[in-house]
Amino acid sequence: MSFDGSFTHAMVHELNDLLKSGRITKIHQPYENEVIITFRANRKNYPVLLSAHPNYARVQITKIPYANPAVPTNFAMMLRKYLDGAILNGIQQVENDRIVNFSFSKRNELGDIEELLLAVEIMGRRSNIVLLNNTTKVILDTIKHINADQNRYRLLLPGATYITPPSQDKLNPFTDETKAYAKALSDFPNQEVLATELHRIYQGLDKNTSLELANYLHQHNESSAFDDFFEKFDQPNPVMTTKKQKSSFTAFPYATLEGTQQNFTTLGDLLDAFYVAKAQHDRVIQKAGNLVHVVKNDLKKNRTKLKKLNQTLASSEQADVYKIKGEILTTYLNQVKRGMTEITLPNYYDNNQDIKISLSNQISPSQNAQKYFKKYQKAKNAVHYVSEQLTKTHQEIDYLDNIMTQIELANPQDLDEIREELEKEGYLKVNQKKRKQKRSRASKPETFHATDGTQISVGKNDTQNDRLTLKTAKKTDIWLHTQKIPGSHVIIHDANPTDQTLTEAATLAAYFSKAQQSAHVPVDYVAVKRVHKPNGAKPGLVIYEGQSTLIVDPDEQLVNQLRQV
């Protein structure tokens, strides 16, 4: 299910219950299209995510931590100017559309009460967040500026008059008194056709909700069935339904959706679980900036170098042939005449089988023999050099491959440490301006809890991995890592975990690795005291011995469950 109008109705109901009359205490814009506004209401703090992301636009209370940028954006500064300390009067949905209006009151610099509106338009790639004076309808700022060239119907620029998006010629199912559904039910007895008709008639119904409504009307013949269905959105029972790695979120269980169901206390918790991987990955790629570009380029260079080294090694395997030819020429030097271009002589290394030897007619027989000895020595030296370079290049590729995996698995707040590591290792130029800024606090490994309550820590970058394995963990704790696959260090904070806890921790190790989309992933586990870091090794690299191995399948649903326990 998408964030349709009916789900928006349920979300507005939840937000009003928790936030009404609350005061804004913090405003941040951690990501390009998303704002976090913290409300203080009923003696609790509620971080509310307002997202205008083209793929993940939504409004919700979130518990997912975020990285606050060192320098606030212009839009964040404008929100702070007008809304910091403002009182929330209420949250309204425009009809059953995906437009949520937060109305505020605040005293301005002159002491007069000013009415302000923050409109969140959830419309795919046209999603936006608009701050305006609720009395004059003049736009103060928007998270995305839209000029006349981009939209002829309305301007979304500071100083322009706010015009709501064009309304659809559809009925609001929450206020419909025409009972248009009854005629549709009698005209279209087929459930799927009825769903299509309901989608055409009513506003804010996506495909899943339309189909569920059609099924509900068929199953319940009471005249109140239509109203009963939409009353469920005012008393939601949030659920995520998963089938074959595909998940859907709904305000209450849908009989028409098959799969494993996972219930949540609030709609915000539901969306956190649903978007934790999808939205976080997008945020990471967005914030990673040139990190991905630099690592991919270095990986490409080293893989090209590896290919050339292997070719050189293959040609260097002819070294013994050069030596044999040089020795045979020396033995039969009296049979070699100046001016010859080749000669066939018995090879006493191969049962005196004849061997053909090419010669230069410009040099003497003795010089021809010496030429082969020089080729032999050069090839022999090349084998030693190429072998060393092959080892270094393999290590470089493994390191960069591991960094790439860390970027893909990281939370946005983990990226600063990855960037610092790449600067320290010489892959990135040091940004002197950022170096002078106050260094951000070290990020911490993510914490999970096994079914029996045992704490499990998962490092998300080399800095976290080294700190977790070599400093934080006890020597008797259990260390896990995917076998010969880039991934996170995982620590079970228990010397004798149960088999179930071991399996759950191994599943975490498989999920937070390059093998996340694979099956039957081998995961090694061993006591921390058997894990060591070689002298001069790159960050995150360790060696270990005496390990045992588990074969597990990465399971996103299990990961989310362990995250919430």
Side-chain angles (χ1 to χ4, degrees), residues 232-270:
K232 293 185 178 185
F233 288 96
D234 289 329
Q235 298 177 336
N237 177 20
V239 64
M240 182 160 60
T241 307
T242 304
K243 183 179 180 181
K244 295 181 179 179
Q245 302 299 319
K246 185 177 181 180
S247 299
S248 301
F249 63 86
T250 51
F252 53 87
Y254 279 14
T256 50
L257 286 177
E258 298 179 353
T260 304
Q261 292 186 344
Q262 182 180 359
N263 293 91
F264 295 86
T265 306
T266 66
L267 296 173
D269 290 342
L270 167 65

Side-chain angles (χ1 to χ4, degrees), residues 380-445:
K380 184 180 177 182
N381 292 339
V383 170
H384 178 70
Y385 171 77
V386 169
S387 297
E388 284 186 346
Q389 289 300 308
L390 276 171
T391 301
K392 291 180 180 179
T393 305
H394 275 297
Q395 291 174 349
E396 197 76 1
I397 289 173
D398 289 343
Y399 174 72
L400 292 169
D401 209 13
N402 189 47
I403 289 290
M404 197 67 220
T405 301
Q406 289 175 11
I407 292 173
E408 292 172 354
L409 298 175
N411 292 323
Q413 57 267 32
D414 301 329
L415 290 173
D416 289 337
E417 288 182 340
I418 296 177
R419 187 182 296 277
E420 287 176 12
E421 179 184 333
L422 290 174
E423 288 177 350
K424 185 177 180 181
E425 295 296 318
Y427 296 95
L428 280 176
K429 291 183 178 179
V430 178
N431 189 321
Q432 296 297 340
K433 290 184 179 179
K434 289 189 176 181
R435 172 173 279 189
K436 291 179 182 178
Q437 292 175 0
K438 185 178 179 180
R439 186 176 178 181
S440 57
R441 294 176 61 185
S443 61
K444 296 181 180 180

Side-chain angles (χ1 to χ4, degrees), residues 309-490:
L309 287 171
N310 282 323
Q311 290 172 348
T312 304
L313 185 63
S315 64
S316 298
E317 290 174 354
Q318 299 295 318
D320 290 339
V321 176
Y322 297 142
K323 181 182 179 182
I324 290 170
K325 288 182 177 181
E327 290 180 348
I328 291 173
L329 280 175
T330 302
T331 303
Y332 298 101
L333 202 59
N334 61 334
Q335 297 183 30
V336 184
K337 306 300 180 184
R338 191 181 187 100
M340 283 183 172
T341 57
E342 64 178 32
I343 189 171
T344 300
L345 295 170
N347 182 359
Y348 45 77
Y349 287 104
D350 189 16
N351 299 320
N352 284 326
Q353 294 290 324
D354 288 345
I355 183 172
K356 186 181 287 187
I357 302 174
S358 298
L359 300 170
S360 171
N361 59 4
Q362 303 295 317
I363 57 179
S364 68
S366 177
Q367 288 173 325
N368 269 296
Q370 290 303 314
K371 184 177 180 181
Y372 275 106
F373 285 126
K374 287 179 181 178
K375 282 186 176 181
Y376 161 71
Q377 193 61 45
K378 184 177 180 181
K380 184 180 177 182
N381 292 339
V383 170
H384 178 70
Y385 171 77
V386 169
S387 297
E388 284 186 346
Q389 289 300 308
L390 276 171
T391 301
K392 291 180 180 179
T393 305
H394 275 297
Q395 291 174 349
E396 197 76 1
I397 289 173
D398 289 343
Y399 174 72
L400 292 169
D401 209 13
N402 189 47
I403 289 290
M404 197 67 220
T405 301
Q406 289 175 11
I407 292 173
E408 292 172 354
L409 298 175
N411 292 323
Q413 57 267 32
D414 301 329
L415 290 173
D416 289 337
E417 288 182 340
I418 296 177
R419 187 182 296 277
E420 287 176 12
E421 179 184 333
L422 290 174
E423 288 177 350
K424 185 177 180 181
E425 295 296 318
Y427 296 95
L428 280 176
K429 291 183 178 179
V430 178
N431 189 321
Q432 296 297 340
K433 290 184 179 179
K434 289 189 176 181
R435 172 173 279 189
K436 291 179 182 178
Q437 292 175 0
K438 185 178 179 180
R439 186 176 178 181
S440 57
R441 294 176 61 185
S443 61
K444 296 181 180 180
E446 188 169 359
T447 300
F448 297 81
H449 289 89
T451 302
D452 64 3
T454 304
Q455 183 176 322
I456 303 172
S457 297
V458 179
K460 295 295 187 64
N461 57 52
D462 287 333
T463 302
Q464 290 183 11
N465 287 335
D466 281 348
R467 191 187 305 125
L468 175 62
T469 301
L470 304 174
K471 295 183 179 180
T472 306
K474 296 179 181 178
K475 296 297 182 183
T476 54
D477 288 345
I478 303 301
W479 179 89
L480 302 93
H481 194 282
T482 43
Q483 187 181 93
K484 298 179 181 179
I485 300 171
S488 297
H489 291 204
V490 176

Side-chain angles (χ1 to χ4, degrees), residues 44-77:
K44 291 184 180 180
N45 292 326
Y46 295 97
V48 178
L49 169 66
L50 310 179
S51 175
H53 191 284
N55 298 320
Y56 311 122
R58 63 197 187 280
V59 177
Q60 64 163 112
I61 294 173
T62 182
K63 296 176 182 177
I64 297 177
Y66 58 90
N68 186 34
V71 180
T73 64
N74 291 336
F75 185 63
M77 292 296 288

Side-chain angles (χ1 to χ4, degrees), residues 549-564:
T549 306
L550 287 172
I551 306 297
V552 296
D553 294 331
D555 187 340
E556 183 177 356
Q557 188 172 353
L558 176 61
V559 171
N560 289 332
Q561 289 174 356
L562 299 180
R563 185 180 269 126
Q564 293 179 0

Side-chain angles (χ1 to χ4, degrees), residues 55-245:
N55 298 320
Y56 311 122
R58 63 197 187 280
V59 177
Q60 64 163 112
I61 294 173
T62 182
K63 296 176 182 177
I64 297 177
Y66 58 90
N68 186 34
V71 180
T73 64
N74 291 336
F75 185 63
M77 292 296 288
M78 188 64 75
L79 290 179
R80 291 175 185 177
K81 176 182 177 181
Y82 286 97
L83 293 182
D84 193 21
I87 301 298
L88 179 66
N89 297 325
I91 308 170
Q92 301 83 29
Q93 179 186 14
V94 177
E95 292 296 324
N96 197 41
D97 207 346
R98 292 179 299 169
I99 304 173
V100 180
N101 291 333
F102 290 75
S103 58
F104 299 94
S105 295
K106 183 187 177 183
R107 292 191 180 275
N108 60 22
E109 297 171 350
L110 299 176
D112 298 327
I113 294 180
E114 194 171 28
E115 301 296 330
L116 300 160
L117 191 75
L118 192 62
V120 184
E121 302 174 355
I122 304 170
M123 299 177 176
R125 62 186 181 87
R126 295 187 178 86
S127 298
N128 214 329
I129 302 173
V130 185
L131 174 66
L132 61 140
N133 184 304
N134 203 17
T135 305
T136 63
K137 304 302 180 185
V138 172
I139 296 174
L140 301 172
D141 205 356
T142 65
I143 200 167
K144 299 178 187 175
H145 289 185
I146 307 297
N147 58 37
D149 293 335
Q150 297 169 286
N151 190 328
R152 296 182 180 180
Y153 178 76
R154 61 184 190 139
L155 289 177
L156 290 176
L157 295 171
T161 301
Y162 178 70
I163 301 173
T164 56
S167 60
Q168 298 174 312
D169 188 20
K170 293 184 178 183
L171 300 172
N172 183 346
F174 290 93
T175 58
D176 175 38
E177 297 180 356
T178 66
K179 300 190 182 298
Y181 66 88
K183 185 176 186 305
L185 184 59
S186 62
D187 291 346
F188 303 100
N190 179 278
Q191 186 168 305
E192 291 188 2
V193 178
L194 175 60
T196 302
E197 182 64 12
L198 292 171
H199 177 74
R200 186 189 67 81
I201 296 173
Y202 290 103
Q203 182 183 38
L205 307 185
D206 74 350
K207 182 179 179 181
N208 287 338
T209 304
S210 300
L211 190 60
E212 180 68 14
L213 174 58
N215 177 70
Y216 194 87
L217 292 176
H218 274 294
Q219 297 295 325
H220 300 79
N221 296 322
E222 300 88 350
S223 59
S224 62
F226 185 85
D227 293 334
D228 291 344
F229 178 82
F230 284 99
E231 283 178 3
K232 293 185 178 185
F233 288 96
D234 289 329
Q235 298 177 336
N237 177 20
V239 64
M240 182 160 60
T241 307
T242 304
K243 183 179 180 181
K244 295 181 179 179
Q245 302 299 319

